[in-house]
Amino acid sequence: MHALSHNALTLLIVQFLVIIGVSRLIGRGAQWLGQPLVIAEVLAGILLGPSLLGWLAPGAMDWLFPASSMPVLKMLSQVGLILFMFLIGLELDPKLLKGRGHASVVISHTSIIVPFALGAGAALWLYPRLSDPSVPFSSFVLFMGVAMSITAFPVLARILTERRLLSSRVGAMTITCAAVDDVTAWCLLAFVVALVRASDLMHAGLTTVLAMLYIAFMLLVVRPFLARLGARVASKEGLNQNGVALTLMMLLASAWATELIGIHALFGAFLMGSVIPKEGGLAQALAEKLEDVAVVLLLPLFFAFSGLRTQVGLLSTSDHWVMCGIIIFLACAGKFGGSAVAARLTGMRWREAGALGILMNTRGLVELIVLNIGLDLGVISPTLFTMLVVMALVTTFMTTPLLRWIYPPEEMARDQVSPTPVVEKVEAQPFTMLMCVSHGHSGAGMVTLGRALTGAPQEPSQLYALHLIRPTERASFHLRHDPEKASGDSLTPLLGRANGLGMQVRPISFVSAEPALDICRTAEAKQANLVLLGWHKPLFSRTMLGGTVHEVMQEANTSVAVLVDRGLEHVRRVLVPFIGSAHDRAALGLARRLLQHASAEITILHVTQSEGQHGHSGARPLVEKLFPQGSGTVHFKVVAHDSPEEAALEESRRGYDLVVVGVGAEWGLEDGLFGLHRERLIGDAPTSLLVVRHPTPAPAAEATPETESAGKLTASNVAS
């Protein structure tokens, strides 16, 4: 281990492993709490620094992050920041800044002026207490104003997309105001950096003039050249390595130029990304190539480096914590209060105005970048840096829960999913089926089953195909994401097969960070009688009914079925293993629909524990009630077997098209979030399976003919 600490390359590799591993581990917990990944990465950096690791195990921290490794860590984190600021510029669409209405002008300006004024006012009080006398008062005031005015544009875009607010009035207004804030804040910060670095006012003025000339050069010379490059990318196969190399050289040159001018290399990276045309595909191609390396590999180093500089132990007195609380209060009052009041005065409802204010109060990673610049320049002390990092964490962490309170999930589901059309003068309620499609391969079997369950024209039915898109950490995903286009590959095969069979299937697609809950909310909004899920092999556990399937089965207020599709093309012979549970009765109910709507031949396999007729004496009358004489071809078969699972598996090998079976331990099918038990019926059956779970208790409002029959069966004594 001693030799390891003196090997710079090996130590750097270990640092990478620890930083990325801890960030992703905490990230899982952050996502479970509904928080953006940036919260986890900031916390991971702080936990690896003196605030926790250095406090609990100072020897381990000194070994993992010795002082000699800090210059390398800092330089690599700066390279990551240059790439990240370039990506932020790529996401900043100039269309967001043009043609803005009166409301967005008022809100965006107010969301900058009010927090800037409060930050400058707080500087009057903080300067004698937390600043070094050598720091110019003007620089300190301006920096505090900028630090309070920041809005985290990338984090905001992610939250808006996950909450499906990006296309709403609130989302469009918020993203516009955040774009204006970003540009204004970086321009103000560039001026502050120029003022701090300049030896006198004349040099500061010269730096400002050079910066303006450089911006003009980028807009008038570089941007037209990049537009031609973008046109070549669009007309050919895509962005090749020469194009990436040329763009990266221009990015580094821009960062170098702004560093020489005196306004920081990050501003040059941001400007380079901003001037790249968003049409033609160049911006998106660059983002897709650079984001993973920048965000997953290099950016966590910046968080770790920031965490090493964040020392919560510096807030050692009650006065320090009071100051920190006041800073948090002023930050929220300026950003949330200013934005919300301005939005209300422009005509928004209080709910909309409050949501906009909460979103604008998100600071995230961008605030951390600004604070590190201030600490590097010596404008703020390590103690004030720690207070402002705590403020950035608190304001980012509070965004999601407050937004969830302002816009609860139920209301969001109603906004995104149109109500079920009212069917006039129809005695029976339409049978509604929600097919949840995760990928294109699972759609064909679902359509076959959907037709078999709803094929009779005399009974009204409604079929919906739901595709949920999981969000990624990529910023480019959120601003240029088209749910309809993204879901095309998954829903097109299903919709094409449905059209070929003369079926009407209505597609639904949106981004979801909580797929199980959103499936249940959509099913409730559509008043679905059956939620049909696809199936795929799990990555780690051995249970097929785990993860999202388990969560849907637990939360749904209606019947849930999982289709294990092994090439289901028609439904002619159906096997229903039966013992008598509520889930078995739900399986019988679906079998009755298959009998009525697809004229399927149904075989009911009643498994008993002993020989003779005792086992089915109570079961046969129940089956006869559900399948009266003349309703179709129904075979009732009784088998005595010690293992119902094995009996069902043996019967399934007799040439059936589909096995419809209820969830239950007797069949070796128990839904669980995790599982080590292998479900033999699913794994070894040669035919397609439909695994059914009946809700408990069944909602009376959504009763269907089969659930009514199942209810009659429930009241009876089923012998087994």
Side-chain angles (χ1 to χ4, degrees), residues 660-684:
V660 184
V661 59
V663 167
E666 61 272 15
W667 309 116
L669 302 173
E670 291 183 281
D671 61 295
L673 190 59
F674 305 102
L676 300 176
H677 173 71
R678 180 176 179 269
E679 295 137 334
R680 290 188 58 234
L681 191 57
I682 293 179
D684 296 345

Side-chain angles (χ1 to χ4, degrees), residues 345-589:
L345 292 176
T346 57
M348 280 189 170
R349 295 182 294 115
W350 271 119
R351 181 184 292 274
E352 294 176 322
L356 187 144
I358 290 167
L359 289 163
M360 292 297 291
N361 195 39
T362 305
R363 285 174 171 82
L365 168 61
V366 181
E367 177 76 15
L368 217 59
I369 296 173
V370 172
L371 297 181
N372 274 273
I373 291 175
L375 186 60
D376 287 335
L377 294 173
V379 178
I380 57 175
S381 64
T383 303
L384 182 56
F385 173 82
T386 300
M387 292 179 180
L388 291 171
V389 168
V390 172
M391 179 270 291
L393 274 172
V394 170
T395 53
T396 305
F397 189 86
M398 68 195 306
T399 300
T400 302
L402 286 178
L403 189 62
R404 193 179 289 269
W405 176 65
I406 288 285
Y407 271 108
E410 295 76 16
E411 184 164 333
M412 285 302 304
R414 293 191 197 99
D415 290 343
Q416 297 300 323
V417 183
S418 58
T420 304
V422 178
V423 181
E424 299 180 357
K425 298 181 180 180
V426 177
E427 294 181 1
Q429 292 293 322
F431 180 83
T432 302
M433 182 172 162
L434 180 67
M435 299 180 289
C436 304
V437 183
S438 59
H439 50 79
H441 302 296
S442 63
M446 287 188 173
V447 171
T448 300
L449 183 62
R451 180 173 179 80
L453 288 169
T454 62
Q458 64 270 19
E459 182 182 336
S461 59
Q462 294 174 344
L463 297 177
Y464 295 93
L466 174 65
H467 177 63
L468 299 179
I469 303 123
R470 284 189 177 272
T472 69
E473 287 79 29
R474 291 182 169 185
S476 62
F477 172 88
H478 300 288
L479 286 184
R480 284 192 289 276
H481 177 72
D482 183 356
E484 293 184 3
K485 183 178 179 181
S487 65
D489 293 340
S490 297
L491 291 184
T492 298
L494 182 148
L495 297 175
R497 181 171 174 81
N499 290 333
L501 295 174
M503 299 168 58
Q504 182 181 6
V505 178
R506 302 176 186 180
I508 305 172
S509 181
F510 53 85
V511 176
S512 171
E514 301 174 321
L517 291 178
D518 280 328
I519 287 171
C520 295
R521 291 165 189 158
T522 306
E524 184 177 357
K526 291 298 185 185
Q527 300 180 1
N529 301 97
L530 178 67
V531 175
L532 183 61
L533 302 173
W535 164 82
H536 55 82
K537 292 184 179 180
L539 185 60
F540 296 112
S541 71
R542 302 186 70 182
T543 178
M544 311 292 186
L545 305 179
T548 301
V549 170
H550 166 73
E551 294 176 33
V552 174
M553 286 184 167
Q554 293 297 316
E555 299 295 330
N557 292 325
T558 189
S559 294
V560 178
V562 180
L563 177 62
V564 181
D565 184 12
R566 293 193 170 96
L568 184 64
E569 296 182 356
H570 45 74
V571 182
R572 295 171 186 161
R573 296 192 64 207
V574 178
L575 172 66
V576 186
F578 180 79
I579 287 182
S581 70
H583 309 305
D584 289 353
R585 292 191 288 274
L588 280 180

Side-chain angles (χ1 to χ4, degrees), residues 67-389:
S68 59
S69 70
M70 288 299 100
V72 176
L73 205 61
K74 181 179 180 180
M75 286 300 102
L76 281 174
S77 69
Q78 291 298 310
V79 172
L81 279 187
I82 287 173
L83 289 174
F84 183 74
M85 289 304 300
F86 173 66
L87 292 172
I88 292 180
L90 283 179
E91 297 313 312
L92 187 64
D93 195 336
K95 292 178 182 177
L96 295 172
L97 309 177
K98 295 179 181 178
R100 295 179 296 124
H102 170 73
S104 58
V105 171
V106 172
I107 298 169
S108 59
H109 289 177
T110 306
S111 66
I112 296 169
I113 294 171
V114 173
F116 190 94
L118 287 177
L124 297 172
W125 177 61
L126 294 172
Y127 182 74
R129 293 169 174 81
L130 294 175
S131 181
D132 191 278
S134 62
V135 177
F137 178 68
S138 58
S139 301
F140 185 80
V141 170
L142 288 172
F143 183 83
M144 284 300 299
V146 172
M148 292 291 196
S149 304
I150 289 294
T151 291
F153 189 72
V155 178
L156 186 63
R158 176 181 174 84
I159 293 174
L160 286 171
T161 309
E162 289 185 359
R163 298 289 295 162
R164 304 199 293 282
L165 283 168
L166 200 56
S167 59
S168 66
R169 182 189 178 193
V170 173
M173 190 74 73
T174 303
I175 205 70
T176 300
C177 296
V180 176
D181 275 21
D182 244 27
V183 173
T184 307
W186 284 108
C187 290
L188 288 172
L189 184 64
F191 178 73
V192 172
V193 173
L195 191 65
V196 172
R197 286 181 169 179
S199 55
D200 51 45
L201 196 60
M202 185 181 75
H203 282 87
L206 178 61
T207 300
T208 304
V209 171
L210 289 175
M212 298 301 292
L213 290 174
Y214 182 70
I215 292 172
F217 170 77
M218 293 292 288
L219 291 173
L220 300 177
V221 178
V222 176
R223 181 176 169 80
F225 170 75
L226 291 171
R228 291 194 294 273
L229 179 61
R232 288 175 62 86
V233 169
S235 61
K236 294 188 176 182
E237 293 183 359
L239 186 63
N240 56 26
Q241 290 186 350
N242 287 333
V244 175
L246 178 61
T247 307
L248 287 177
M249 289 175 64
M250 295 175 67
L251 163 63
L252 295 173
S254 178
W256 173 70
T258 53
E259 184 70 22
L260 283 182
I261 290 171
I263 56 173
H264 209 284
L266 295 183
F267 185 78
F270 175 73
L271 185 60
M272 179 65 188
S274 301
V275 300
I276 289 181
K278 305 307 180 279
E279 300 81 13
L282 176 60
Q284 190 167 1
L286 286 169
E288 290 175 353
K289 288 181 180 295
L290 298 178
E291 273 177 320
D292 288 343
V293 173
V295 174
V296 177
L297 186 66
L298 296 177
L299 204 56
L301 294 184
F302 168 72
F303 290 114
F305 185 70
S306 300
L308 292 170
R309 309 171 89 181
T310 303
Q311 305 177 52
V312 178
L314 291 176
L315 309 185
S316 55
T317 67
S318 57
D319 289 344
H320 284 153
W321 284 106
V322 169
M323 290 180 191
C324 185
I326 291 173
I327 288 173
I328 294 172
F329 172 77
L330 291 176
C332 295
K335 207 68 178 171
F336 168 76
S339 304
V341 171
R344 181 70 181 93
L345 292 176
T346 57
M348 280 189 170
R349 295 182 294 115
W350 271 119
R351 181 184 292 274
E352 294 176 322
L356 187 144
I358 290 167
L359 289 163
M360 292 297 291
N361 195 39
T362 305
R363 285 174 171 82
L365 168 61
V366 181
E367 177 76 15
L368 217 59
I369 296 173
V370 172
L371 297 181
N372 274 273
I373 291 175
L375 186 60
D376 287 335
L377 294 173
V379 178
I380 57 175
S381 64
T383 303
L384 182 56
F385 173 82
T386 300
M387 292 179 180
L388 291 171
V389 168

Side-chain angles (χ1 to χ4, degrees), residues 52-66:
L52 184 67
L53 183 61
W55 176 54
L56 294 176
M61 180 186 153
D62 290 339
W63 173 79
L64 185 59
F65 299 107

Side-chain angles (χ1 to χ4, degrees), residues 26-50:
I26 300 178
R28 297 294 296 175
Q31 291 174 341
W32 182 71
L33 293 172
Q35 293 292 330
L37 186 63
V38 65
I39 284 284
E41 292 175 325
V42 175
L43 283 176
I46 293 175
L47 295 179
L48 290 172

